[in-house]
Coordinates of all heavy atoms in Angstrom, one line a residue:
M1 N 173.7 352.8 149.5 CA 172.5 352.9 150.3 C 171.5 353.8 149.6 O 170.3 353.6 149.5 CB 172.8 353.3 151.7 CG 171.6 353.6 152.5 SD 171.6 352.3 153.8 CE 170.2 352.8 154.8
A2 N 172.0 355.0 149.1 CA 171.1 356.0 148.5 C 170.5 355.4 147.2 O 169.3 355.6 146.9 CB 171.8 357.2 148.2
W3 N 171.3 354.6 146.4 CA 170.7 354.0 145.2 C 169.7 353.0 145.5 O 168.7 352.9 144.8 CB 171.9 353.4 144.4 CG 172.7 354.4 143.7 CD1 174.0 354.7 144.0 CD2 172.4 355.2 142.6 NE1 174.5 355.7 143.2 CE2 173.5 356.0 142.3 CE3 171.2 355.3 141.9 CZ2 173.5 356.9 141.3 CZ3 171.2 356.2 140.8 CH2 172.3 357.0 140.5
S4 N 169.9 352.3 146.6 CA 168.9 351.3 147.0 C 167.5 352.0 147.4 O 166.5 351.6 147.0 CB 169.4 350.5 148.2 OG 168.4 349.6 148.6
A5 N 167.6 353.1 148.1 CA 166.4 353.8 148.5 C 165.8 354.4 147.3 O 164.5 354.4 147.2 CB 166.8 354.9 149.5
L6 N 166.5 354.9 146.3 CA 166.0 355.5 145.1 C 165.3 354.4 144.2 O 164.3 354.7 143.6 CB 167.0 356.2 144.3 CG 167.6 357.5 144.9 CD1 168.7 358.0 144.0 CD2 166.5 358.5 145.0
N7 N 165.8 353.2 144.3 CA 165.1 352.1 143.5 C 163.9 351.7 144.1 O 162.9 351.2 143.4 CB 166.1 351.0 143.3 CG 167.2 351.3 142.4 OD1 167.1 352.1 141.5 ND2 168.4 350.6 142.6
I8 N 163.8 351.8 145.4 CA 162.6 351.3 146.1 C 161.5 352.3 146.1 O 160.3 352.0 146.2 CB 162.9 350.9 147.6 CG1 163.8 349.7 147.6 CG2 161.7 350.6 148.4 CD1 164.4 349.3 148.9
W9 N 161.8 353.6 146.1 CA 160.8 354.7 146.2 C 159.6 354.6 145.2 O 158.5 354.7 145.7 CB 161.5 356.1 146.1 CG 160.5 357.2 146.1 CD1 160.2 358.0 145.1 CD2 159.6 357.5 147.1 NE1 159.2 358.9 145.4 CE2 158.8 358.6 146.6 CE3 159.3 357.0 148.4 CZ2 157.8 359.2 147.4 CZ3 158.3 357.6 149.1 CH2 157.6 358.7 148.6
P10 N 159.8 354.4 143.9 CA 158.7 354.3 143.0 C 157.7 353.1 143.4 O 156.5 353.3 143.4 CB 159.3 354.0 141.6 CG 160.7 354.5 141.7 CD 161.1 354.3 143.2
L11 N 158.3 352.0 143.9 CA 157.4 350.9 144.3 C 156.6 351.3 145.6 O 155.4 351.0 145.7 CB 158.2 349.7 144.6 CG 159.0 349.1 143.4 CD1 159.9 348.0 143.8 CD2 158.0 348.7 142.3
L12 N 157.3 351.9 146.5 CA 156.7 352.4 147.7 C 155.6 353.4 147.5 O 154.5 353.3 148.0 CB 157.7 352.9 148.7 CG 157.2 353.4 150.0 CD1 156.6 352.3 150.8 CD2 158.4 354.0 150.8
K13 N 155.9 354.4 146.6 CA 154.9 355.4 146.2 C 153.7 354.8 145.6 O 152.6 355.2 145.9 CB 155.6 356.4 145.3 CG 154.7 357.5 144.9 CD 155.4 358.5 143.9 CE 154.4 359.5 143.4 NZ 155.0 360.4 142.4
R14 N 153.9 353.8 144.7 CA 152.7 353.2 144.1 C 151.9 352.4 145.1 O 150.7 352.4 145.1 CB 153.2 352.3 142.9 CG 152.0 351.5 142.3 CD 152.4 350.9 141.1 NE 152.5 351.9 140.1 CZ 152.6 351.7 138.8 NH1 152.6 350.5 138.3 NH2 152.8 352.7 138.0
A15 N 152.6 351.7 146.0 CA 151.8 350.9 147.0 C 151.0 351.8 147.9 O 149.9 351.6 148.3 CB 152.8 350.1 147.8
L16 N 151.6 353.0 148.3 CA 150.9 353.9 149.2 C 149.7 354.5 148.4 O 148.6 354.7 149.0 CB 151.8 355.0 149.6 CG 152.9 354.7 150.6 CD1 153.9 355.8 150.9 CD2 152.2 354.2 151.9
A17 N 149.9 354.9 147.1 CA 148.8 355.4 146.3 C 147.7 354.5 146.2 O 146.5 354.8 146.2 CB 149.4 355.9 145.0
E18 N 148.0 353.2 145.9 CA 146.9 352.2 145.7 C 146.2 351.9 147.0 O 145.0 351.7 147.0 CB 147.5 350.9 145.2 CG 148.0 351.0 143.7 CD 148.7 349.8 143.2 OE1 148.9 348.8 144.0 OE2 149.0 349.7 142.0
A19 N 146.9 352.0 148.2 CA 146.2 351.8 149.4 C 145.2 352.9 149.8 O 144.2 352.6 150.4 CB 147.3 351.7 150.5
R20 N 145.4 354.1 149.3 CA 144.5 355.2 149.6 C 143.7 355.6 148.4 O 143.2 356.7 148.4 CB 145.1 356.3 150.3 CG 146.5 356.7 149.8 CD 147.0 357.9 150.4 NE 147.0 358.9 149.3 CZ 147.8 360.0 149.3 NH1 148.5 360.3 150.3 NH2 147.7 360.8 148.2
S21 N 143.7 354.8 147.4 CA 143.1 355.2 146.1 C 141.5 355.1 146.3 O 141.0 354.1 146.8 CB 143.5 354.2 145.0 OG 142.7 354.4 143.9
P22 N 140.8 356.1 145.8 CA 139.4 356.1 145.8 C 138.8 355.2 144.6 O 137.6 355.0 144.6 CB 139.0 357.5 145.6 CG 140.1 358.1 144.8 CD 141.3 357.4 145.2
L23 N 139.7 354.7 143.7 CA 139.2 354.0 142.6 C 139.1 352.5 142.8 O 139.9 351.9 143.5 CB 140.2 354.3 141.4 CG 140.4 355.7 141.0 CD1 141.4 355.8 139.9 CD2 139.1 356.4 140.6
S24 N 138.1 351.9 142.2 CA 138.0 350.5 142.2 C 139.0 349.8 141.3 O 139.6 350.5 140.4 CB 136.6 350.1 141.8 OG 136.5 350.2 140.4
P25 N 139.3 348.5 141.5 CA 140.3 347.9 140.7 C 139.9 347.9 139.2 O 140.7 348.0 138.3 CB 140.3 346.4 141.2 CG 139.8 346.5 142.6 CD 138.9 347.7 142.7
R26 N 138.6 347.8 138.9 CA 138.1 347.8 137.5 C 138.3 349.2 136.9 O 138.7 349.3 135.7 CB 136.7 347.4 137.4 CG 136.3 346.9 136.1 CD 137.1 345.7 135.6 NE 136.3 344.9 134.7 CZ 136.7 343.8 134.1 NH1 137.8 343.3 134.4 NH2 135.9 343.2 133.3
E27 N 138.1 350.2 137.7 CA 138.3 351.6 137.2 C 139.8 351.8 136.9 O 140.2 352.4 135.9 CB 137.8 352.6 138.2 CG 136.3 352.6 138.3 CD 135.8 353.3 139.6 OE1 136.6 353.7 140.4 OE2 134.6 353.5 139.7
L28 N 140.6 351.3 137.8 CA 142.1 351.4 137.5 C 142.5 350.7 136.3 O 143.3 351.1 135.5 CB 142.9 350.9 138.7 CG 142.9 351.8 140.0 CD1 143.5 351.1 141.1 CD2 143.7 353.0 139.6
E29 N 141.9 349.5 136.1 CA 142.2 348.7 134.9 C 141.8 349.5 133.6 O 142.6 349.6 132.7 CB 141.4 347.4 134.9 CG 142.1 346.3 135.6 CD 141.2 345.0 135.5 OE1 140.0 345.1 135.6 OE2 141.9 343.9 135.3
C30 N 140.6 350.1 133.6 CA 140.2 350.8 132.4 C 141.0 352.0 132.2 O 141.4 352.4 131.0 CB 138.7 351.2 132.6 SG 137.6 349.8 132.6
L31 N 141.4 352.7 133.3 CA 142.3 353.9 133.1 C 143.7 353.5 132.6 O 144.2 354.2 131.7 CB 142.5 354.6 134.4 CG 141.5 355.7 134.8 CD1 141.8 356.3 136.2 CD2 141.5 356.8 133.8
S32 N 144.2 352.4 133.1 CA 145.5 352.0 132.6 C 145.5 351.5 131.1 O 146.4 351.8 130.4 CB 146.1 350.9 133.5 OG 145.4 349.7 133.4
L33 N 144.4 350.9 130.7 CA 144.3 350.5 129.3 C 144.1 351.8 128.4 O 144.7 351.9 127.3 CB 143.1 349.6 129.1 CG 143.3 348.2 129.7 CD1 142.0 347.4 129.6 CD2 144.5 347.5 129.0
A34 N 143.4 352.8 128.9 CA 143.3 354.1 128.2 C 144.6 354.7 128.1 O 145.0 355.3 127.1 CB 142.3 355.0 128.9
F35 N 145.4 354.7 129.2 CA 146.8 355.2 129.2 C 147.6 354.6 128.1 O 148.5 355.2 127.5 CB 147.4 355.0 130.6 CG 148.8 355.4 130.7 CD1 149.2 356.8 130.7 CD2 149.8 354.5 130.8 CE1 150.5 357.2 130.8 CE2 151.1 354.9 130.9 CZ 151.5 356.2 130.9
Q36 N 147.4 353.3 127.9 CA 148.2 352.5 126.9 C 147.7 352.8 125.5 O 148.2 352.3 124.5 CB 148.1 351.0 127.1 CG 148.7 350.6 128.4 CD 148.5 349.2 128.8 OE1 148.1 348.4 127.9 NE2 148.6 348.8 130.0
G37 N 146.6 353.6 125.4 CA 146.1 354.1 124.0 C 145.0 353.2 123.5 O 144.7 353.3 122.3
M38 N 144.5 352.3 124.3 CA 143.4 351.5 123.8 C 142.1 352.2 123.8 O 141.8 353.0 124.7 CB 143.3 350.2 124.7 CG 144.5 349.3 124.6 SD 144.4 347.8 125.5 CE 143.5 346.9 124.4
T39 N 141.2 351.9 122.8 CA 139.9 352.5 122.8 C 139.0 351.7 123.8 O 139.4 350.7 124.3 CB 139.3 352.4 121.4 OG1 139.1 351.1 121.1 CG2 140.2 353.1 120.4
A40 N 137.8 352.3 124.0 CA 136.9 351.6 124.9 C 136.5 350.3 124.3 O 136.3 349.3 125.0 CB 135.6 352.5 125.1
R41 N 136.3 350.2 123.0 CA 136.0 348.9 122.4 C 137.1 347.9 122.6 O 136.8 346.7 122.9 CB 135.7 349.1 120.9 CG 135.4 347.8 120.2 CD 134.9 348.1 118.8 NE 133.6 348.7 118.8 CZ 133.0 349.1 117.8 NH1 133.5 349.0 116.6 NH2 131.8 349.7 117.9
E42 N 138.3 348.3 122.3 CA 139.4 347.3 122.5 C 139.6 346.9 124.0 O 139.8 345.8 124.2 CB 140.7 348.0 122.0 CG 140.8 348.3 120.5 CD 142.0 349.2 120.2 OE1 142.5 349.9 121.0 OE2 142.3 349.2 119.0
S43 N 139.4 347.9 124.9 CA 139.5 347.6 126.3 C 138.3 346.6 126.7 O 138.6 345.7 127.4 CB 139.3 348.8 127.1 OG 140.4 349.7 126.9
G44 N 137.2 346.8 126.1 CA 136.0 345.9 126.4 C 136.3 344.5 125.9 O 136.0 343.5 126.6
E45 N 136.9 344.4 124.8 CA 137.2 343.0 124.3 C 138.2 342.4 125.2 O 138.1 341.2 125.5 CB 137.8 343.1 122.8 CG 136.7 343.5 121.8 CD 137.3 343.8 120.4 OE1 138.5 343.6 120.3 OE2 136.5 344.2 119.6
L46 N 139.2 343.1 125.6 CA 140.3 342.6 126.5 C 139.7 342.2 127.9 O 140.1 341.2 128.4 CB 141.4 343.6 126.6 CG 142.7 343.1 127.4 CD1 143.4 342.0 126.6 CD2 143.6 344.2 127.6
L47 N 138.8 343.0 128.4 CA 138.3 342.8 129.7 C 137.0 341.9 129.7 O 136.4 341.7 130.8 CB 138.0 344.1 130.4 CG 139.1 345.0 130.6 CD1 138.7 346.4 131.1 CD2 140.1 344.4 131.6
A48 N 136.6 341.5 128.5 CA 135.4 340.7 128.4 C 134.1 341.4 128.9 O 133.3 340.8 129.6 CB 135.5 339.3 129.0
C49 N 134.0 342.6 128.5 CA 132.8 343.4 128.8 C 132.5 344.3 127.6 O 133.2 344.3 126.6 CB 133.0 344.2 130.1 SG 134.3 345.4 130.0
S50 N 131.4 345.0 127.7 CA 131.0 345.9 126.6 C 131.7 347.2 126.6 O 132.3 347.6 127.7 CB 129.5 346.1 126.6 OG 129.2 347.0 127.7
E51 N 131.7 347.9 125.5 CA 132.3 349.2 125.4 C 131.6 350.2 126.4 O 132.2 351.1 127.0 CB 132.1 349.7 123.9 CG 132.6 351.1 123.7 CD 132.4 351.5 122.2 OE1 132.0 350.7 121.4 OE2 132.7 352.7 121.9
R52 N 130.3 350.0 126.5 CA 129.5 350.9 127.4 C 130.0 350.7 128.9 O 130.0 351.7 129.6 CB 128.0 350.6 127.3 CG 127.1 351.4 128.1 CD 125.7 351.1 127.8 NE 124.9 351.7 128.8 CZ 123.8 352.4 128.5 NH1 123.4 352.6 127.3 NH2 123.1 353.0 129.5
T53 N 130.3 349.5 129.2 CA 130.7 349.2 130.6 C 132.1 349.9 130.9 O 132.3 350.4 131.9 CB 130.9 347.7 130.8 OG1 129.6 347.1 130.6 CG2 131.3 347.4 132.2
V54 N 133.0 349.8 129.9 CA 134.3 350.5 130.0 C 134.1 352.0 130.2 O 134.7 352.6 131.1 CB 135.2 350.2 128.8 CG1 136.4 351.0 128.8 CG2 135.5 348.7 128.7
N55 N 133.2 352.5 129.4 CA 132.9 354.0 129.5 C 132.3 354.3 130.8 O 132.6 355.4 131.4 CB 132.0 354.4 128.3 CG 132.8 354.5 127.0 OD1 134.0 354.8 127.0 ND2 132.1 354.3 125.9
F56 N 131.5 353.4 131.4 CA 130.9 353.6 132.7 C 132.0 353.7 133.8 O 132.0 354.6 134.6 CB 129.9 352.5 133.0 CG 129.4 352.5 134.4 CD1 128.4 353.4 134.7 CD2 129.8 351.6 135.3 CE1 127.9 353.4 136.0 CE2 129.3 351.6 136.6 CZ 128.3 352.5 137.0
H57 N 132.9 352.8 133.7 CA 134.0 352.7 134.7 C 134.9 354.0 134.5 O 135.3 354.6 135.5 CB 134.9 351.5 134.5 CG 134.2 350.2 135.0 ND1 133.7 350.1 136.2 CD2 133.9 349.1 134.3 CE1 133.1 348.9 136.4 NE2 133.2 348.3 135.2
L58 N 135.2 354.4 133.3 CA 136.0 355.6 133.1 C 135.2 356.8 133.6 O 135.8 357.7 134.2 CB 136.3 355.8 131.6 CG 137.3 354.8 131.0 CD1 137.4 354.9 129.5 CD2 138.7 355.0 131.7
S59 N 133.9 356.9 133.4 CA 133.1 358.0 133.9 C 133.2 358.1 135.4 O 133.3 359.1 136.0 CB 131.7 357.9 133.4 OG 130.9 358.9 134.0
N60 N 133.0 356.9 136.1 CA 133.1 356.9 137.5 C 134.5 357.3 138.0 O 134.6 358.0 139.0 CB 132.9 355.4 138.1 CG 131.4 355.1 138.0 OD1 130.5 355.9 137.9 ND2 131.1 353.8 138.1
A61 N 135.6 356.9 137.3 CA 136.9 357.3 137.7 C 137.1 358.8 137.5 O 137.7 359.5 138.4 CB 137.9 356.6 136.8
M62 N 136.5 359.4 136.5 CA 136.6 360.8 136.3 C 135.9 361.6 137.4 O 136.4 362.6 137.9 CB 136.0 361.2 134.9 CG 136.9 360.8 133.7 SD 136.3 361.4 132.1 CE 134.9 360.4 131.9
T63 N 134.8 361.1 137.8 CA 134.0 361.7 138.9 C 134.8 361.6 140.2 O 134.9 362.6 140.9 CB 132.6 361.0 139.1 OG1 131.9 361.1 137.9 CG2 131.9 361.7 140.2
K64 N 135.4 360.5 140.5 CA 136.1 360.3 141.7 C 137.4 361.2 141.7 O 137.8 361.6 142.8 CB 136.5 358.9 142.0 CG 135.2 358.0 142.3 CD 135.6 356.6 142.5 CE 134.4 355.7 142.8 NZ 134.8 354.3 142.9
L65 N 138.0 361.3 140.6 CA 139.2 362.1 140.5 C 139.0 363.6 140.3 O 139.9 364.4 140.2 CB 140.1 361.6 139.3 CG 140.7 360.2 139.6 CD1 141.4 359.7 138.3 CD2 141.7 360.2 140.7
R66 N 137.7 363.9 140.1 CA 137.2 365.3 140.0 C 137.8 366.0 138.8 O 138.4 367.1 138.8 CB 137.5 366.1 141.2 CG 136.8 365.7 142.5 CD 137.0 366.6 143.6 NE 136.4 366.0 144.8 CZ 137.0 365.7 145.9 NH1 138.3 365.9 146.0 NH2 136.3 365.2 146.9
V67 N 137.7 365.3 137.6 CA 138.1 365.9 136.3 C 137.0 365.8 135.3 O 136.0 365.1 135.6 CB 139.4 365.2 135.8 CG1 140.6 365.4 136.7 CG2 139.2 363.7 135.7
D68 N 137.1 366.5 134.2 CA 136.1 366.5 133.2 C 136.2 365.6 132.0 O 135.3 365.5 131.2 CB 135.9 368.0 132.7 CG 135.4 368.9 133.8 OD1 134.8 368.4 134.8 OD2 135.7 370.1 133.8
N69 N 137.4 365.1 131.8 CA 137.6 364.3 130.6 C 138.6 363.1 130.9 O 139.3 363.1 131.9 CB 138.1 365.1 129.4 CG 139.4 365.8 129.7 OD1 140.4 365.3 130.1 ND2 139.4 367.2 129.5
K70 N 138.7 362.2 130.0 CA 139.5 361.0 130.1 C 141.0 361.3 130.2 O 141.7 360.7 131.1 CB 139.2 360.0 129.0 CG 139.9 358.7 129.1 CD 139.5 357.7 128.1 CE 139.6 358.1 126.7 NZ 139.3 357.1 125.7
L71 N 141.4 362.2 129.4 CA 142.9 362.6 129.4 C 143.3 363.2 130.8 O 144.3 362.8 131.3 CB 143.2 363.6 128.3 CG 144.6 363.9 128.1 CD1 145.5 362.7 127.9 CD2 144.8 364.9 127.0
A72 N 142.4 364.0 131.3 CA 142.7 364.6 132.6 C 142.7 363.5 133.7 O 143.5 363.6 134.7 CB 141.7 365.7 133.0
A73 N 141.8 362.6 133.6 CA 141.8 361.5 134.6 C 143.1 360.6 134.5 O 143.6 360.3 135.6 CB 140.6 360.6 134.3
I74 N 143.5 360.4 133.3 CA 144.8 359.6 133.2 C 145.9 360.4 133.7 O 146.8 359.9 134.5 CB 145.0 359.3 131.7 CG1 144.0 358.3 131.1 CG2 146.4 358.8 131.4 CD1 144.0 358.2 129.6
Q75 N 146.0 361.7 133.5 CA 147.0 362.5 134.0 C 147.0 362.6 135.5 O 148.1 362.4 136.1 CB 146.9 364.0 133.4 CG 148.0 364.9 133.8 CD 147.8 366.2 133.1 OE1 146.7 366.7 132.9 NE2 148.9 366.9 132.8
R76 N 145.9 362.7 136.1 CA 145.8 362.8 137.6 C 146.1 361.5 138.2 O 146.8 361.4 139.2 CB 144.4 363.2 138.0 CG 144.3 363.4 139.5 CD 143.3 364.4 140.0 NE 143.5 365.7 139.5 CZ 142.6 366.7 139.7 NH1 141.5 366.5 140.3 NH2 142.9 367.9 139.2
A77 N 145.7 360.4 137.6 CA 146.1 359.0 138.1 C 147.6 358.8 138.0 O 148.2 358.2 138.9 CB 145.4 358.0 137.3
C78 N 148.2 359.4 137.0 CA 149.7 359.3 136.9 C 150.3 360.1 138.0 O 151.3 359.7 138.6 CB 150.2 359.8 135.5 SG 149.9 358.6 134.2
W79 N 149.8 361.3 138.2 CA 150.4 362.2 139.3 C 150.2 361.5 140.7 O 151.1 361.6 141.5 CB 149.6 363.5 139.3 CG 150.0 364.5 138.3 CD1 151.1 364.4 137.5 CD2 149.3 365.6 137.9 NE1 151.1 365.5 136.6 CE2 150.0 366.2 136.8 CE3 148.0 366.1 138.3 CZ2 149.5 367.4 136.2 CZ3 147.6 367.3 137.6 CH2 148.3 367.9 136.6
F80 N 149.1 360.8 140.9 CA 148.9 360.1 142.1 C 149.7 358.8 142.2 O 149.8 358.2 143.3 CB 147.4 359.8 142.4 CG 146.6 361.0 142.6 CD1 145.2 360.9 142.4 CD2 147.1 362.2 143.1 CE1 144.4 362.0 142.7 CE2 146.4 363.3 143.4 CZ 145.0 363.2 143.2
G81 N 150.3 358.4 141.1 CA 151.1 357.2 141.1 C 150.3 355.9 141.0 O 150.8 354.8 141.3
L82 N 149.1 356.0 140.5 CA 148.2 354.9 140.3 C 148.5 354.1 139.0 O 148.2 352.9 138.9 CB 146.7 355.3 140.4 CG 146.3 356.0 141.6 CD1 144.9 356.6 141.5 CD2 146.3 355.0 142.8
I83 N 149.0 354.8 138.0 CA 149.3 354.2 136.8 C 150.8 354.2 136.6 O 151.5 355.2 136.8 CB 148.7 355.0 135.6 CG1 147.2 354.9 135.7 CG2 149.1 354.4 134.3 CD1 146.4 355.7 134.6

């Protein structure tokens, strides 16, 4: 029973975090691609938008997460269980 609960906890934590997340789905996409090491240009090509649009979404995510740079935004999103 304990193993079953431990296996479910990460999924439950992520679902709860996404339900109360201040980030839009596109901001989450851009953050997760940045987490994977993709540049804004590569992310833009994958998402079919411009590099500037990706940077705009990352900037909005940084503002909402109250951090000053992309790395801190990725770290905070990981702590919240969003990524």
Side-chain angles (χ1 to χ4, degrees):
M1 176 113 174
W3 285 108
S4 177
L6 289 175
N7 289 335
I8 293 173
W9 175 244
L11 299 174
L12 179 62
K13 182 180 174 186
R14 177 168 288 193
L16 290 171
E18 288 175 355
R20 45 174 243 202
S21 171
L23 302 178
S24 72
R26 200 60 155 183
E27 291 164 352
L28 284 171
E29 277 182 317
C30 292
L31 271 178
S32 67
L33 291 174
F35 175 73
Q36 295 172 20
M38 297 183 81
T39 64
R41 178 174 288 176
E42 293 168 342
S43 297
E45 290 173 2
L46 186 66
L47 298 173
C49 62
S50 70
E51 179 180 355
R52 183 177 168 132
T53 302
V54 172
N55 286 330
F56 173 76
H57 289 303
L58 289 173
S59 175
N60 286 342
M62 289 186 288
T63 301
K64 290 178 182 178
L65 294 173
R66 296 186 182 122
V67 294
D68 295 333
N69 59 51
K70 183 169 61 172
L71 184 59
I74 292 168
Q75 186 177 30
R76 185 153 298 171
C78 287
W79 283 342
F80 290 159
L82 300 171
I83 296 178

